Amino acid sequence: MVRTLQHFIGGTWQDAGSTRLEEIPNPATGEVLAVMPHATASMVESAVAAAAGAFPAWRDTPVVERSRIMFRFRQLLEEHFDDVARLVTDENGKTLAEASGEVRRGIEVIEFACGAPTLMMGEVLEDVARGIDAEVVRAPLGVVAGICPFNFPAMIPLWMLPVALACGNAFILKPSDRTPITAVRLAELLETAGLPRGVFNLVHGAKETVDALLTHPGVRAVSFVGSAPVARYVYATAAAHGKRVQALAGAKNYLVVMPDCDLARTTEAILSSAFGNAGERCLAGSVVVVVGEVADRLVAALRDGASHLRVGAGWDSTTELGPVIRRSHLDRVVGYIERGLAEGAELVCDGRGVTDGRGYFLGATLFDRVRPEMAIAQEEIFGPVLAVIRASDLDAAMRLVNRSPFGNMACIFTRSGRDARTFRTRVEAGMVGVNVGVAAPMAFFPFAGWKGSFYGDLHATGKDSVEFYTERRVVTTRWF
């Protein structure tokens, strides 16, 4: 029988009490892995009440004890590493190597959160006036919520909940309605790690569940990762209800290639950036701006590499490009390919037609001689489609990059320190790479999207996340 998922509220696993059920298919086979119940409004209310009830005792738990639970959680993830990675592959479709990388990056955030005794430290200044001392201390917010996307079902929840919990908050997780199974396993491991009942809660659902969290007066802060339109909605709605918000949005990431690049290594980096995770990531390189005479050689190398990427199920060790998440998403990406052709781009490598009729497969697709005004050069496709634009020089290339409404990532490939420095200081993106295809920050740095790729003030991960999940209290003391 197909498994029906449950919600985790107040330390117990609960059935939904809802007639709205959603099948979760394996993207590689179409086989139904589980059935997900959507939370009712009363279940969201119960989750907030459970979190609010658990918060005072958790807040008063010494920070070193909270950190020890995170250490145990980290160890459990290490012990169950392969199983969690396989869950990611089963429900998302990415290769086991990509899933393993995702779980590893999530564990790194837990390791960062284990430093909460240091990260939570405040500041003291004696004698701000005669006989008067002042200090700043950090305090947790209370009940906070995380709303996650489908493309990283392990890593994105782990961006949020370890820091939030270590800082003393109670947490409600709403995983993607497309990939909820991994989140259930994370909840089980948190329970095994000894987290007190009600400190972590899990509710499934889609827009109605999200709206209930965004508008609930008991939720102090919301962390979101997803598409640009939804990020704008989440930010506006939650902020209008008085909440602290970080909303990580969509992207259109540009990779600038200079004539003096190391062609072989540049090609390898671009292929990994554009087609890793089937292009379903907000740091995927989706537009190459190639400068000068290297263009023909680069396009030929990219065509050769893209055409030889092996498409298949993620659990097959020979697979290099897994399926996209759903049939509807496959149709959407194919629609962009057809639009690129209609607008006059040159299709160098066509990934259509590789599906076996069951899985949602699309091969690596490469366009050359793309014009900046084309949809495939401007809009986030979120699939294995790469566009090449030709530019005359670095200034022209940077104008193309900076005209984008998004500002997540931009990378340059060059041997010139001068050009790299010009790029890194003038490009309008929050995460910049020099001779790397995916400029993903480590856990102790912020995931620093700019412009339309981020809504809020404090980013995910790093010290920004500690700032986001705490507020400062200033204490002024005088003794007679």
Side-chain angles (χ1 to χ4, degrees), residues 64-119:
V64 291
E65 295 182 19
R66 299 198 299 257
S67 292
R68 287 176 192 141
I69 292 177
M70 289 300 103
F71 274 114
R72 289 196 289 272
F73 180 44
R74 176 204 174 277
Q75 185 58 36
L76 286 167
L77 265 174
E78 291 285 5
E79 293 170 4
H80 297 275
F81 189 98
D82 292 339
D83 293 338
V84 175
R86 178 58 189 250
L87 283 178
V88 171
T89 291
D90 285 347
E91 67 173 344
N92 173 270
K94 66 181 63 177
T95 68
L96 273 174
E98 292 165 340
S100 297
E102 167 180 348
V103 177
R104 176 58 57 202
R105 294 305 293 266
I107 289 174
E108 290 169 357
V109 181
I110 305 175
E111 293 169 345
F112 172 78
C114 287
T118 298
L119 296 169

Short mmCIF file of all heavy atoms in Angstrom, two decimals, residues 64-119:
data_model
loop_
_atom_site.label_atom_id
_atom_site.label_comp_id
_atom_site.label_asym_id
_atom_site.label_seq_id
_atom_site.Cartn_x
_atom_site.Cartn_y
_atom_site.Cartn_z
N VAL A 64 23.78 25.98 25.63
CA VAL A 64 24.68 24.84 25.43
C VAL A 64 23.89 23.54 25.34
O VAL A 64 24.26 22.62 24.59
CB VAL A 64 25.73 24.76 26.55
CG1 VAL A 64 26.72 25.92 26.45
CG2 VAL A 64 25.09 24.73 27.93
N GLU A 65 22.78 23.44 26.06
CA GLU A 65 21.95 22.24 25.98
C GLU A 65 21.21 22.18 24.64
O GLU A 65 21.05 21.10 24.06
CB GLU A 65 20.97 22.20 27.15
CG GLU A 65 21.65 22.05 28.51
CD GLU A 65 20.65 21.97 29.65
OE1 GLU A 65 19.46 21.66 29.39
OE2 GLU A 65 21.05 22.22 30.80
N ARG A 66 20.76 23.33 24.16
CA ARG A 66 20.13 23.35 22.83
C ARG A 66 21.14 22.91 21.78
O ARG A 66 20.81 22.16 20.84
CB ARG A 66 19.59 24.74 22.53
CG ARG A 66 18.53 25.23 23.50
CD ARG A 66 17.73 26.39 22.94
NE ARG A 66 18.51 27.56 22.64
CZ ARG A 66 18.56 28.65 23.38
NH1 ARG A 66 17.86 28.71 24.53
NH2 ARG A 66 19.29 29.70 23.02
N SER A 67 22.38 23.37 21.93
CA SER A 67 23.42 23.00 20.96
C SER A 67 23.71 21.50 21.00
O SER A 67 23.97 20.89 19.96
CB SER A 67 24.70 23.78 21.23
OG SER A 67 24.52 25.15 20.95
N ARG A 68 23.66 20.90 22.17
CA ARG A 68 23.93 19.46 22.26
C ARG A 68 22.89 18.65 21.49
O ARG A 68 23.21 17.63 20.88
CB ARG A 68 23.96 19.03 23.73
CG ARG A 68 25.21 19.50 24.46
CD ARG A 68 25.16 19.15 25.93
NE ARG A 68 26.23 19.84 26.64
CZ ARG A 68 26.10 20.38 27.85
NH1 ARG A 68 24.93 20.32 28.49
NH2 ARG A 68 27.13 20.98 28.42
N ILE A 69 21.65 19.12 21.50
CA ILE A 69 20.62 18.44 20.72
C ILE A 69 20.92 18.57 19.23
O ILE A 69 20.74 17.63 18.45
CB ILE A 69 19.23 18.98 21.06
CG1 ILE A 69 18.85 18.59 22.49
CG2 ILE A 69 18.18 18.46 20.07
CD1 ILE A 69 17.53 19.14 22.96
N MET A 70 21.43 19.73 18.82
CA MET A 70 21.82 19.89 17.42
C MET A 70 23.00 18.98 17.07
O MET A 70 23.06 18.43 15.96
CB MET A 70 22.18 21.35 17.14
CG MET A 70 21.00 22.31 17.14
SD MET A 70 19.74 21.92 15.89
CE MET A 70 18.48 21.15 16.92
N PHE A 71 23.93 18.81 18.01
CA PHE A 71 25.03 17.86 17.77
C PHE A 71 24.49 16.45 17.56
O PHE A 71 24.95 15.72 16.68
CB PHE A 71 26.01 17.87 18.96
CG PHE A 71 27.07 18.93 18.89
CD1 PHE A 71 27.10 19.97 19.81
CD2 PHE A 71 28.06 18.88 17.92
CE1 PHE A 71 28.09 20.94 19.76
CE2 PHE A 71 29.05 19.85 17.85
CZ PHE A 71 29.06 20.88 18.77
N ARG A 72 23.50 16.05 18.39
CA ARG A 72 22.92 14.71 18.23
C ARG A 72 22.18 14.59 16.90
O ARG A 72 22.24 13.56 16.22
CB ARG A 72 21.99 14.40 19.40
CG ARG A 72 22.73 14.16 20.72
CD ARG A 72 21.84 13.48 21.73
NE ARG A 72 20.80 14.35 22.25
CZ ARG A 72 20.94 15.15 23.29
NH1 ARG A 72 22.10 15.23 23.92
NH2 ARG A 72 19.92 15.90 23.71
N PHE A 73 21.48 15.65 16.53
CA PHE A 73 20.77 15.67 15.25
C PHE A 73 21.75 15.51 14.09
O PHE A 73 21.52 14.73 13.16
CB PHE A 73 19.99 16.98 15.13
CG PHE A 73 19.20 17.14 13.86
CD1 PHE A 73 18.45 16.10 13.34
CD2 PHE A 73 19.21 18.36 13.18
CE1 PHE A 73 17.72 16.27 12.16
CE2 PHE A 73 18.49 18.54 12.02
CZ PHE A 73 17.74 17.49 11.51
N ARG A 74 22.87 16.23 14.18
CA ARG A 74 23.90 16.11 13.15
C ARG A 74 24.42 14.68 13.06
O ARG A 74 24.57 14.12 11.97
CB ARG A 74 25.06 17.06 13.45
CG ARG A 74 26.23 16.94 12.48
CD ARG A 74 27.54 17.41 13.07
NE ARG A 74 28.65 17.15 12.16
CZ ARG A 74 29.26 15.98 12.06
NH1 ARG A 74 28.88 14.95 12.80
NH2 ARG A 74 30.25 15.83 11.20
N GLN A 75 24.68 14.06 14.21
CA GLN A 75 25.21 12.70 14.20
C GLN A 75 24.21 11.71 13.61
O GLN A 75 24.58 10.79 12.87
CB GLN A 75 25.59 12.27 15.63
CG GLN A 75 26.26 10.91 15.71
CD GLN A 75 27.54 10.84 14.89
OE1 GLN A 75 28.28 11.82 14.79
NE2 GLN A 75 27.79 9.69 14.27
N LEU A 76 22.94 11.91 13.91
CA LEU A 76 21.91 11.03 13.34
C LEU A 76 21.84 11.18 11.82
O LEU A 76 21.65 10.19 11.09
CB LEU A 76 20.55 11.37 13.96
CG LEU A 76 20.36 10.89 15.40
CD1 LEU A 76 19.13 11.54 16.01
CD2 LEU A 76 20.22 9.36 15.44
N LEU A 77 21.98 12.40 11.34
CA LEU A 77 21.99 12.60 9.88
C LEU A 77 23.19 11.91 9.24
O LEU A 77 23.09 11.35 8.14
CB LEU A 77 21.98 14.08 9.55
CG LEU A 77 20.62 14.71 9.28
CD1 LEU A 77 20.75 16.21 9.10
CD2 LEU A 77 19.94 14.09 8.07
N GLU A 78 24.34 11.95 9.91
CA GLU A 78 25.50 11.24 9.40
C GLU A 78 25.24 9.74 9.35
O GLU A 78 25.58 9.06 8.37
CB GLU A 78 26.73 11.54 10.27
CG GLU A 78 27.26 12.96 10.17
CD GLU A 78 28.02 13.22 8.88
OE1 GLU A 78 28.08 12.34 8.00
OE2 GLU A 78 28.59 14.33 8.75
N GLU A 79 24.63 9.22 10.40
CA GLU A 79 24.36 7.78 10.46
C GLU A 79 23.35 7.34 9.41
O GLU A 79 23.40 6.21 8.92
CB GLU A 79 23.86 7.41 11.86
CG GLU A 79 24.92 7.57 12.95
CD GLU A 79 24.34 7.43 14.35
OE1 GLU A 79 23.13 7.14 14.46
OE2 GLU A 79 25.10 7.60 15.32
N HIS A 80 22.43 8.22 9.08
CA HIS A 80 21.38 7.89 8.10
C HIS A 80 21.59 8.64 6.79
O HIS A 80 20.64 8.83 6.02
CB HIS A 80 20.01 8.23 8.68
CG HIS A 80 19.65 7.43 9.91
ND1 HIS A 80 19.08 6.18 9.83
CD2 HIS A 80 19.83 7.71 11.23
CE1 HIS A 80 18.89 5.72 11.06
NE2 HIS A 80 19.35 6.62 11.92
N PHE A 81 22.82 9.04 6.53
CA PHE A 81 23.15 9.88 5.39
C PHE A 81 22.65 9.27 4.07
O PHE A 81 21.95 9.93 3.28
CB PHE A 81 24.66 10.10 5.34
CG PHE A 81 25.11 11.11 4.32
CD1 PHE A 81 25.39 12.41 4.71
CD2 PHE A 81 25.26 10.78 2.98
CE1 PHE A 81 25.81 13.36 3.79
CE2 PHE A 81 25.67 11.71 2.05
CZ PHE A 81 25.94 13.01 2.46
N ASP A 82 23.00 8.02 3.82
CA ASP A 82 22.64 7.40 2.54
C ASP A 82 21.14 7.25 2.38
O ASP A 82 20.60 7.44 1.27
CB ASP A 82 23.32 6.03 2.42
CG ASP A 82 24.83 6.14 2.29
OD1 ASP A 82 25.32 7.22 1.91
OD2 ASP A 82 25.52 5.14 2.59
N ASP A 83 20.45 6.94 3.47
CA ASP A 83 19.00 6.79 3.40
C ASP A 83 18.31 8.11 3.07
O ASP A 83 17.38 8.17 2.26
CB ASP A 83 18.45 6.24 4.73
CG ASP A 83 18.91 4.82 5.00
OD1 ASP A 83 19.27 4.12 4.04
OD2 ASP A 83 18.91 4.42 6.18
N VAL A 84 18.78 9.20 3.71
CA VAL A 84 18.18 10.51 3.45
C VAL A 84 18.47 10.93 2.01
O VAL A 84 17.58 11.45 1.31
CB VAL A 84 18.70 11.55 4.46
CG1 VAL A 84 18.18 12.94 4.10
CG2 VAL A 84 18.29 11.18 5.87
N ALA A 85 19.70 10.71 1.54
CA ALA A 85 20.03 11.05 0.16
C ALA A 85 19.14 10.28 -0.82
O ALA A 85 18.70 10.82 -1.84
CB ALA A 85 21.50 10.77 -0.12
N ARG A 86 18.89 9.01 -0.53
CA ARG A 86 18.03 8.21 -1.43
C ARG A 86 16.60 8.74 -1.44
O ARG A 86 15.95 8.76 -2.49
CB ARG A 86 18.07 6.74 -0.99
CG ARG A 86 17.18 5.83 -1.83
CD ARG A 86 17.53 5.86 -3.30
NE ARG A 86 16.55 5.15 -4.11
CZ ARG A 86 16.79 3.99 -4.73
NH1 ARG A 86 17.98 3.42 -4.62
NH2 ARG A 86 15.86 3.41 -5.44
N LEU A 87 16.12 9.20 -0.28
CA LEU A 87 14.78 9.80 -0.24
C LEU A 87 14.72 11.03 -1.15
O LEU A 87 13.75 11.24 -1.88
CB LEU A 87 14.42 10.20 1.19
CG LEU A 87 13.97 9.11 2.15
CD1 LEU A 87 13.70 9.71 3.52
CD2 LEU A 87 12.73 8.40 1.63
N VAL A 88 15.77 11.86 -1.09
CA VAL A 88 15.83 13.05 -1.94
C VAL A 88 15.78 12.65 -3.41
O VAL A 88 15.04 13.24 -4.21
CB VAL A 88 17.10 13.87 -1.63
CG1 VAL A 88 17.27 14.99 -2.65
CG2 VAL A 88 17.03 14.44 -0.22
N THR A 89 16.57 11.64 -3.78
CA THR A 89 16.58 11.19 -5.17
C THR A 89 15.22 10.64 -5.57
O THR A 89 14.71 10.94 -6.67
CB THR A 89 17.66 10.10 -5.36
OG1 THR A 89 18.94 10.70 -5.22
CG2 THR A 89 17.56 9.46 -6.73
N ASP A 90 14.59 9.86 -4.72
CA ASP A 90 13.31 9.25 -5.05
C ASP A 90 12.23 10.29 -5.31
O ASP A 90 11.47 10.18 -6.28
CB ASP A 90 12.86 8.31 -3.93
CG ASP A 90 13.63 7.00 -3.91
OD1 ASP A 90 14.32 6.71 -4.91
OD2 ASP A 90 13.55 6.27 -2.91
N GLU A 91 12.14 11.31 -4.46
CA GLU A 91 11.02 12.22 -4.61
C GLU A 91 11.34 13.44 -5.46
O GLU A 91 10.43 14.08 -6.00
CB GLU A 91 10.49 12.66 -3.24
CG GLU A 91 11.39 13.53 -2.41
CD GLU A 91 10.69 14.04 -1.15
OE1 GLU A 91 9.46 13.97 -1.08
OE2 GLU A 91 11.38 14.51 -0.23
N ASN A 92 12.63 13.78 -5.60
CA ASN A 92 13.00 14.93 -6.41
C ASN A 92 13.51 14.55 -7.79
O ASN A 92 13.32 15.28 -8.76
CB ASN A 92 14.07 15.76 -5.68
CG ASN A 92 14.63 16.87 -6.53
OD1 ASN A 92 15.61 16.67 -7.25
ND2 ASN A 92 14.02 18.05 -6.49
N GLY A 93 14.21 13.41 -7.91
CA GLY A 93 14.71 12.96 -9.20
C GLY A 93 16.19 13.18 -9.42
O GLY A 93 16.78 12.57 -10.31
N LYS A 94 16.84 14.05 -8.64
CA LYS A 94 18.25 14.34 -8.86
C LYS A 94 19.10 13.09 -8.62
O LYS A 94 18.65 12.13 -7.98
CB LYS A 94 18.70 15.48 -7.96
CG LYS A 94 18.68 15.20 -6.48
CD LYS A 94 19.12 16.40 -5.66
CE LYS A 94 18.21 17.59 -5.81
NZ LYS A 94 18.61 18.74 -4.97
N THR A 95 20.32 13.11 -9.13
CA THR A 95 21.19 11.96 -8.99
C THR A 95 21.58 11.77 -7.52
O THR A 95 21.53 12.70 -6.72
CB THR A 95 22.47 12.11 -9.83
OG1 THR A 95 23.28 13.16 -9.27
CG2 THR A 95 22.14 12.43 -11.28
N LEU A 96 22.01 10.55 -7.19
CA LEU A 96 22.44 10.27 -5.83
C LEU A 96 23.63 11.14 -5.43
O LEU A 96 23.74 11.57 -4.27
CB LEU A 96 22.78 8.80 -5.67
CG LEU A 96 21.62 7.86 -5.31
CD1 LEU A 96 22.07 6.41 -5.33
CD2 LEU A 96 21.02 8.22 -3.95
N ALA A 97 24.52 11.40 -6.38
CA ALA A 97 25.66 12.27 -6.08
C ALA A 97 25.18 13.67 -5.73
O ALA A 97 25.68 14.31 -4.78
CB ALA A 97 26.63 12.31 -7.26
N GLU A 98 24.21 14.19 -6.49
CA GLU A 98 23.67 15.52 -6.21
C GLU A 98 22.91 15.53 -4.89
O GLU A 98 23.01 16.49 -4.10
CB GLU A 98 22.76 15.96 -7.35
CG GLU A 98 23.51 16.22 -8.65
CD GLU A 98 22.60 16.31 -9.86
OE1 GLU A 98 21.45 15.81 -9.80
OE2 GLU A 98 23.04 16.86 -10.88
N ALA A 99 22.15 14.47 -4.62
CA ALA A 99 21.41 14.37 -3.37
C ALA A 99 22.36 14.30 -2.18
O ALA A 99 22.12 14.93 -1.14
CB ALA A 99 20.49 13.16 -3.39
N SER A 100 23.44 13.56 -2.34
CA SER A 100 24.43 13.47 -1.26
C SER A 100 25.07 14.83 -0.99
O SER A 100 25.28 15.22 0.16
CB SER A 100 25.50 12.44 -1.62
OG SER A 100 24.94 11.15 -1.74
N GLY A 101 25.37 15.57 -2.06
CA GLY A 101 25.91 16.91 -1.89
C GLY A 101 24.94 17.82 -1.17
O GLY A 101 25.34 18.64 -0.33
N GLU A 102 23.65 17.67 -1.48
CA GLU A 102 22.63 18.48 -0.81
C GLU A 102 22.58 18.19 0.69
O GLU A 102 22.55 19.12 1.52
CB GLU A 102 21.27 18.21 -1.45
CG GLU A 102 20.11 18.74 -0.64
CD GLU A 102 18.76 18.46 -1.26
OE1 GLU A 102 18.70 18.04 -2.43
OE2 GLU A 102 17.76 18.67 -0.57
N VAL A 103 22.57 16.91 1.04
CA VAL A 103 22.52 16.55 2.46
C VAL A 103 23.77 17.05 3.18
O VAL A 103 23.70 17.55 4.30
CB VAL A 103 22.34 15.03 2.62
CG1 VAL A 103 22.37 14.65 4.10
CG2 VAL A 103 21.03 14.56 1.99
N ARG A 104 24.92 16.95 2.52
CA ARG A 104 26.16 17.42 3.14
C ARG A 104 26.09 18.92 3.40
O ARG A 104 26.50 19.38 4.47
CB ARG A 104 27.33 17.10 2.21
CG ARG A 104 28.69 17.62 2.68
CD ARG A 104 29.06 17.09 4.06
NE ARG A 104 29.05 15.63 4.08
CZ ARG A 104 28.93 14.91 5.19
NH1 ARG A 104 28.78 15.51 6.35
NH2 ARG A 104 28.93 13.58 5.13
N ARG A 105 25.57 19.69 2.45
CA ARG A 105 25.48 21.14 2.67
C ARG A 105 24.51 21.46 3.81
O ARG A 105 24.70 22.42 4.56
CB ARG A 105 25.03 21.85 1.38
CG ARG A 105 26.02 21.78 0.23
CD ARG A 105 27.39 22.30 0.59
NE ARG A 105 27.42 23.72 0.86
CZ ARG A 105 27.71 24.67 -0.03
NH1 ARG A 105 27.99 24.33 -1.28
NH2 ARG A 105 27.72 25.94 0.30
N GLY A 106 23.46 20.65 3.95
CA GLY A 106 22.55 20.85 5.08
C GLY A 106 23.21 20.56 6.41
O GLY A 106 23.02 21.29 7.40
N ILE A 107 24.00 19.50 6.46
CA ILE A 107 24.72 19.16 7.70
C ILE A 107 25.67 20.29 8.08
O ILE A 107 25.86 20.58 9.27
CB ILE A 107 25.46 17.82 7.52
CG1 ILE A 107 24.45 16.67 7.49
CG2 ILE A 107 26.48 17.60 8.64
CD1 ILE A 107 25.04 15.32 7.18
N GLU A 108 26.27 20.94 7.10
CA GLU A 108 27.18 22.04 7.40
C GLU A 108 26.47 23.19 8.12
O GLU A 108 27.07 23.87 8.96
CB GLU A 108 27.83 22.54 6.11
CG GLU A 108 28.84 21.55 5.52
CD GLU A 108 29.28 21.91 4.12
OE1 GLU A 108 28.76 22.91 3.57
OE2 GLU A 108 30.12 21.20 3.56
N VAL A 109 25.19 23.40 7.81
CA VAL A 109 24.44 24.43 8.52
C VAL A 109 24.19 24.01 9.96
O VAL A 109 24.25 24.83 10.90
CB VAL A 109 23.11 24.74 7.81
CG1 VAL A 109 22.34 25.83 8.55
CG2 VAL A 109 23.35 25.18 6.37
N ILE A 110 23.93 22.72 10.19
CA ILE A 110 23.77 22.24 11.57
C ILE A 110 25.06 22.48 12.34
O ILE A 110 25.05 22.90 13.51
CB ILE A 110 23.40 20.75 11.60
CG1 ILE A 110 22.14 20.48 10.78
CG2 ILE A 110 23.17 20.28 13.04
CD1 ILE A 110 21.78 19.01 10.67
N GLU A 111 26.19 22.19 11.69
CA GLU A 111 27.48 22.41 12.35
C GLU A 111 27.66 23.88 12.73
O GLU A 111 28.18 24.20 13.80
CB GLU A 111 28.60 21.93 11.44
CG GLU A 111 28.61 20.42 11.25
CD GLU A 111 29.54 19.96 10.15
OE1 GLU A 111 29.97 20.79 9.34
OE2 GLU A 111 29.82 18.74 10.10
N PHE A 112 27.23 24.76 11.85
CA PHE A 112 27.28 26.19 12.16
C PHE A 112 26.38 26.51 13.35
O PHE A 112 26.78 27.23 14.28
CB PHE A 112 26.86 27.00 10.94
CG PHE A 112 26.69 28.47 11.19
CD1 PHE A 112 27.78 29.31 11.30
CD2 PHE A 112 25.42 29.02 11.34
CE1 PHE A 112 27.62 30.67 11.55
CE2 PHE A 112 25.25 30.37 11.58
CZ PHE A 112 26.35 31.20 11.68
N ALA A 113 25.17 25.94 13.35
CA ALA A 113 24.21 26.22 14.42
C ALA A 113 24.70 25.69 15.76
O ALA A 113 24.33 26.24 16.82
CB ALA A 113 22.86 25.60 14.08
N CYS A 114 25.52 24.65 15.75
CA CYS A 114 26.06 24.12 17.01
C CYS A 114 26.94 25.14 17.72
O CYS A 114 27.24 24.99 18.91
CB CYS A 114 26.85 22.83 16.75
SG CYS A 114 25.82 21.41 16.34
N GLY A 115 27.36 26.17 17.02
CA GLY A 115 28.14 27.24 17.63
C GLY A 115 27.29 28.31 18.28
O GLY A 115 27.79 29.40 18.57
N ALA A 116 26.02 28.02 18.53
CA ALA A 116 25.11 29.01 19.11
C ALA A 116 25.62 29.66 20.40
O ALA A 116 25.39 30.86 20.61
CB ALA A 116 23.73 28.40 19.33
N PRO A 117 26.31 28.93 21.30
CA PRO A 117 26.81 29.61 22.50
C PRO A 117 27.70 30.81 22.19
O PRO A 117 27.71 31.79 22.94
CB PRO A 117 27.58 28.51 23.23
CG PRO A 117 26.91 27.25 22.83
CD PRO A 117 26.53 27.47 21.39
N THR A 118 28.44 30.72 21.10
CA THR A 118 29.25 31.87 20.68
C THR A 118 28.44 32.85 19.85
O THR A 118 28.52 34.08 20.04
CB THR A 118 30.47 31.40 19.87
OG1 THR A 118 31.29 30.56 20.69
CG2 THR A 118 31.30 32.58 19.40
N LEU A 119 27.64 32.32 18.94
CA LEU A 119 26.88 33.18 18.03
C LEU A 119 25.84 34.03 18.75
O LEU A 119 25.47 35.12 18.29
CB LEU A 119 26.19 32.32 16.98
CG LEU A 119 27.11 31.53 16.05
CD1 LEU A 119 26.30 30.52 15.24
CD2 LEU A 119 27.87 32.47 15.13
#
